[in-house]
C-alpha cells in the first residue's frame, strides 16, 4: 500500500486530512489533524525537500541560460531530476504563470 494513501489517525485520536504544506517554498505533502492541528509530513517529500534545500545552498539549483545552436538551453539540476523522476528524452512543457515559468512533465 502506498504511504500517501494511508488513512492516518493522530495520537490525539483525531482524523487526519491530506494537505500540501510549503517548506522553504518547496511543496511537501502531508497530513493535518482536524482535532489538534498536528501536522505530519510525507517522509519521501520531506526527504526530497531536504535534498533540494541542500542543493540550493550549494548553488546547484542556479542555472545559466546557454545557447546551443539556435536554441537557448537551461539545465535541470540533478535533485530536481530525481525528485520529479524526469528522464532523458522526456517531453516537458513550459507554462508562464504570472511572473513564473513552470516546467511540467
Ligand atoms: Zn490530533
Amino acid at each position: 500500500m502506498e504511504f500517501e494513501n494511508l488513512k492516518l489517525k493522530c495520537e490525539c485520536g483525531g482524523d487526519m486530512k491530506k494537505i500540501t504544506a510549503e517548506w522553504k517554498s518547496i511543496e511537501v505533502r502531508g497530513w493535518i489533524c482536524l482535532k489538534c492541528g498536528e501536522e505530519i509530513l510525507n517522509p519521501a517529500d520531506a526527504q526530497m525537500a531536504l535534498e533540494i534545500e541542500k542543493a540550493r545552498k550549494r548553488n546547484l539549483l542556479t542555472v545559466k541560460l546557454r545557447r546551443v545552436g539556435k536554441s537557448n538551453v537551461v539545465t535541470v539540476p540533478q535533485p530536481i531530476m530525481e525528485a520529479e523522476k524526469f528522464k532523458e528524452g522526456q517531453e516537458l512543457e513550459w507554462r508562464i504563470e504570472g511572473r513564473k515559468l513552470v516546467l511540467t512533465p
Side-chain angles (χ1 to χ4, degrees), residues 10-16 33-38:
C10 179
E11 280 180 9
C12 77
D15 281 325
M16 303 203 86
C33 173
L34 298 172
K35 206 164 147 193
C36 72
E38 173 85 5

Side-chain angles (χ1 to χ4, degrees), residues 2-5 17-23 26-32 39-49 83-85:
E2 291 271 321
F3 193 86
E4 8 327 355
N5 296 331
K17 186 184 125 209
K18 271 191 212 166
I19 51 158
T20 305
E22 224 177 67
W23 182 78
I26 303 162
E27 267 195 13
V28 184
R29 289 166 301 174
W31 297 265
I32 190 164
E39 283 183 27
I40 300 177
L41 296 179
N42 180 311
D45 283 15
Q47 180 63 32
M48 177 203 81
E84 299 300 320
K85 298 186 174 65

Side-chain angles (χ1 to χ4, degrees), residues 1 7 50 56 60 96 104:
M1 189 185 196
K7 197 151 172 63
L50 274 176
R56 269 184 186 162
L60 287 175
I96 300 171
T104 49

Side-chain angles (χ1 to χ4, degrees), residues 50-64 75-80:
L50 274 176
E51 290 296 318
I52 291 176
E53 178 60 12
K54 255 196 272 169
R56 269 184 186 162
K57 285 206 178 116
R58 294 196 306 256
N59 260 346
L60 287 175
L61 292 182
T62 307
V63 297
K64 263 203 188 94
T75 49
V76 178
Q78 198 57 30
I80 293 182

